[in-house]
Amino acid sequence: MACFIQAAYLLELDRQENRNEQNALAPKWWIPFKYKLTQTLIDERDGSIFGAVLEWDRAAAMADLVVIRPSGAPKAVLALRGTILKSLTMRRDIEDDLRFLAWESLKGSVRFNVALEALQSVAKRYGSSNVCIVGHSLGAGFALQVGKALAKEGLFVDAHLFNPPSISLAMSLRNIGEKAGCAWKRLMSMLPPKTETLIPNEAETSPGSVSGGFRNWVPSFYGQNQKQKPSVDLRKWVPHLYVNDSDYICCHYTDQDGVSEKREVSDKENNSPVVNAIPQAAAKLFVMSKGKQKFLEAHGLEQWWSDNLELQSAIHSSRLISQQLKSLYSIK
C-alpha cells in the first residue's frame, strides 16, 4: 500500500518533469503487484495529480501465471499523496495543509470531493469490501476524512493511513477547554459540601412538575436509563494507522484516551452506572519506534516498505482517534 502511494507522488513528479511512457517512474511502483492505473485525480486549481485509482490487472496476472488474486489484495485502491514542496504544486498543497491545521477538516478542499466521488465509484463497482483507500501525510488526512464520509453512507472500505496529521489549532483549543473543565471540577471538589440536604417533595417529583419534566428530558443527568432506543447498526469502520513516535506531525495519535474517567460517573441516588449507548471509536494503530530520528526520516514514506520494518500494536484507546471518529458512532 505504501508503494501505491509512492506511485501517486511519482505521477505528479512525472508530470512536472514531462516524462513520457518510456521513461516514467510511477508505473514501476504498481506493475510488479499486477495492478494498472485506471484514473488519476486532478486538482482543478493547478492541474496537479494528487491521487490515483489502481485496479487489479487480471490479464497481467495471468501472463505471469498468477491465476487467483492473492488473499487480502483489493480489487481497487485509491492512493492519495502528501505535500510536494515544488513550485508547481506547493501552493495548493500548503493551502490544504493550513486548512487542516486551522479547522481539522479538509471538506472545503476541491480534492475532498474529487476523492470522495472516485471512492464512491469504485466501491459501488466492486463492493466496499474489495476496495481500499490509502494515503500518506496530507493524503492520509484526506483518506481518513473521505473514508469516514463513505462510512456514514454505510460503505466500509479498508483504509491504511501512513503518518496521518495529528496537529491542529482546533484540537489545541479543544484540549485547552477540556483542561479548563478538569481544573474547574477539581476546584469544586475542594469546596466544603453543603450543610443542608434538599429533599424533594411529591409535588416536585410528580410527572407534571418542572423537576419531573426535566428528569424526563435529560435522564443522563440523573443516571437513569429510560426506554431502550431502537436498535442501530453498530458496525465499526476501523482504519489502520501507521505512525512514527519521532514524527511530531502524527505522534499525537499515541496519546491515551481519557474517557475512562468519565465512565466512572455513577448516580448518587441509587449508585447505578450511567449507561453509555455510544460505542467507542476504534482504529488499528501501529507505531514505529526507533528512538530519536530526524524529521524527514521519521515522516518519510519509504520507512514503511523497508526490509527491517518492525511495528508494534499500540494503544487500544487513542484520544485523537476517538475525537475524529466519534461522529460515526453517534446514535441519531
Side-chain angles (χ1 to χ4, degrees), residues 19 58 62 69 144 161 178 244 254 277:
R19 298 192 186 105
R58 185 177 180 184
M62 294 291 289
R69 180 166 48 91
L144 179 63
L161 315 173
E178 289 176 0
N244 187 314
T254 60

Side-chain angles (χ1 to χ4, degrees), residues 1 32-35 56-58 61-62 65-75 129-130:
M1 295 304 168
F33 298 101
K34 311 307 174 191
Y35 279 78
W56 175 253
D57 191 344
R58 185 177 180 184
M62 294 291 289
L65 303 180
V66 180
V67 181
I68 301 176
R69 180 166 48 91
S71 176
K75 290 183 178 179
S129 61
N130 295 310

